[in-house]
Amino acid sequence: MSQDDRKRTAALAAIELLESGMNLGVGTGSTVNHFIDALAGWRGRLGSVVSSSVDTTQRLAQLGIEVSELNDAGTLDLYVDGADEANAHLQLIKGGGGALTREKIIAEASRRFVCIIDDSKLVKVLGRFPLPVEVLPMARSLVARKLVAAKGRPAWREGFVTDNGNQILDVHHLDIVDPVALERDLNQIPGVVSVGLFARRPADLLLVADGSGVRQLKR
Ligand code: 5RP
């Protein structure tokens, strides 16, 4: 089974969790795109649907699914999103697609966060995937210097502008043994908009697709 097939398998397992009238948050990325495709069958049956990126909003609109503002939707029942890495505590690295800030806001606004991944993304220690950090443009160099002092190796994602008009530093060579502490410390650097570490608010359920099916990891 290809990686894309495994992504689709995980996404279809999340479709099984939908209930009529639910307020739903929708993530961003190639795994979630499979989930969005399958949402076509739920058109008109959900409550408010909130999107984490311009790309996801466009995909939902193409299916005729109305997208609401989070400010109007209030608390969401379910948030479905992918990740770049996940550990056994359901802590995640996200933001490979650059949508980390809105994703983090939606995760916080949701009662239940279901993360869908293929098994290549399950790791013992987070940090093999470079940690995305969204920064205000004027603070990019300052934040980069602070990240070097924290033993990371930041690389500017040149040419990429987030949906919020900001820039991304991808931090290589981090061995993230205490994800909650690192998330807290990086959030303190002036100019950091958000950090792609989802440790303080991890997923509630991880659906991991491998060649033979979908494994569930719960908190
Ligand atoms: C986007 C994300 C995605 O969830 C993450 O990058 C995984 O993407 P994909 O499903 O394409 O592998 O955090 O900001």
Side-chain angles (χ1 to χ4, degrees):
M1 201 188 256
S2 71
Q3 186 182 23
D4 194 54
D5 285 338
R6 283 178 281 147
K7 288 182 178 192
R8 185 183 303 103
T9 303
L12 294 181
I15 287 284
E16 300 295 316
L17 304 174
L18 294 177
E19 291 172 20
S20 295
M22 257 185 169
N23 287 347
L24 177 70
V26 185
T28 298
S30 56
T31 312
V32 163
N33 288 345
H34 291 300
F35 177 78
I36 294 172
D37 290 344
L39 268 184
W42 279 82
R43 192 176 24 229
R45 292 162 59 198
L46 294 166
S48 299
V49 177
V50 174
S51 161
S52 62
S53 65
V54 171
D55 185 57
T56 289
T57 299
Q58 284 169 352
R59 286 172 185 274
L60 289 165
Q62 276 162 15
L63 292 175
I65 296 175
E66 193 188 331
V67 176
S68 300
E69 292 292 329
L70 180 62
N71 287 320
D72 299 325
T75 300
L76 304 178
D77 298 300
L78 178 68
Y79 173 42
V80 177
D81 200 356
D84 300 297
E85 271 187 0
N87 67 16
H89 304 291
L90 280 62
Q91 297 166 323
L92 315 168
I93 286 182
K94 292 182 46 53
L100 59 155
T101 300
R102 295 187 189 191
E103 292 173 339
K104 209 164 220 189
I105 293 167
I106 295 181
E108 190 71 26
S110 300
R111 287 195 185 91
R112 192 174 190 214
F113 174 12
V114 174
C115 182
I116 49 178
I117 57 168
D118 69 84
D119 56 346
S120 69
K121 294 177 170 177
L122 202 51
V123 297
K124 279 213 166 69
V125 179
L126 297 171
R128 191 183 56 194
F129 190 93
L131 177 66
V133 177
E134 180 166 351
V135 296
L136 288 174
M138 73 165 284
R140 191 187 68 243
S141 298
L142 167 74
V143 174
R145 290 196 294 279
K146 300 278 184 190
L147 291 168
V148 169
K151 306 259 182 300
R153 204 183 290 169
W156 175 22
R157 205 182 289 183
E158 257 187 287
F160 184 88
V161 178
T162 69
D163 288 348
N164 314 305
N166 296 316
Q167 298 177 349
I168 301 262
L169 293 168
D170 292 302
V171 192
H172 298 251
H173 290 263
L174 285 174
D175 201 16
I176 307 177
V177 287
D178 188 345
V180 173
L182 184 66
E183 182 180 6
R184 185 190 57 223
D185 292 350
L186 297 184
N187 272 328
Q188 302 303 318
I189 303 172
V192 167
V193 176
S194 71
V195 178
L197 205 45
F198 287 56
R200 194 188 58 78
R201 201 284 181 240
D204 301 304
L205 174 66
L206 195 57
L207 298 175
V208 188
D210 59 23
S212 55
V214 179
R215 195 150 50 101
Q216 298 199 2
L217 272 71
K218 289 184 189 141
R219 270 212 287 155

